[in-house]
Amino acid sequence: QVQLVESGGGLVQTGGSLRLSCVASGRTFSRYAMGWFRQAPGKEREFVARISWSGGIEYYADSVKGRFTISRDNAKNTVYLQMNNLKPGDTVVYYCNFLNGLAPAFNYWGQGTQVTVSS
């Protein structure tokens, strides 16, 4: 079955950086686009970034464009999210998933990783 294990979150000051990682298994990783999503308490999960199966095409939500960079290592079944110039509004739980277009391909989520940006 699909397994998604996110890590790398933590507490950082405004303007700081973090690098999130997600190890995905249960499907042929290199055949799927991968994405990052985030969710604040009481709100719907929102799309953050997408990377094509080959890693050649990236797409970002307007709210993170120019600050976040998504990448992947197909040999390690891992997708990354480099987050720079973090803002208090980025304080949420981050999740990864296999993608179908811009939507999650599977109705399964890992535990996520909490990012907290202090002002």
Side-chain angles (χ1 to χ4, degrees):
Q1 70 274 22
V2 170
Q3 288 193 317
L4 302 159
V5 181
E6 300 92 348
S7 62
L11 174 64
V12 65
Q13 291 185 334
T14 296
S17 298
L18 284 173
R19 189 193 194 203
L20 307 184
S21 299
C22 167
V23 180
S25 61
R27 292 293 185 274
T28 304
F29 181 81
S30 60
R31 292 183 180 177
Y32 282 86
M34 294 296 295
W36 285 95
F37 298 80
R38 63 186 185 183
Q39 186 172 26
K43 295 188 176 182
E44 291 190 358
R45 192 173 281 126
E46 65 174 2
F47 168 82
V48 174
R50 178 188 190 275
I51 188 166
S52 61
W53 64 270
S54 67
I57 300 174
E58 301 164 24
Y59 181 77
Y60 299 92
D62 287 343
S63 58
V64 307
K65 199 174 297 182
R67 300 189 297 123
F68 291 10
T69 303
I70 189 171
S71 61
R72 67 189 295 161
D73 185 338
N74 285 348
K76 296 182 178 179
N77 285 8
T78 302
V79 60
Y80 304 97
L81 188 67
Q82 176 67 42
M83 305 187 297
N84 297 328
N85 191 21
L86 283 161
K87 304 176 181 180
D90 298 319
T91 296
V92 288
V93 180
Y94 287 75
Y95 303 87
C96 68
N97 212 325
F98 297 88
L99 289 184
N100 181 3
L102 293 180
F106 304 104
N107 188 24
Y108 171 82
W109 297 93
Q111 83 288 349
T113 187
Q114 173 72 48
V115 171
T116 302
V117 184
S118 63
S119 57

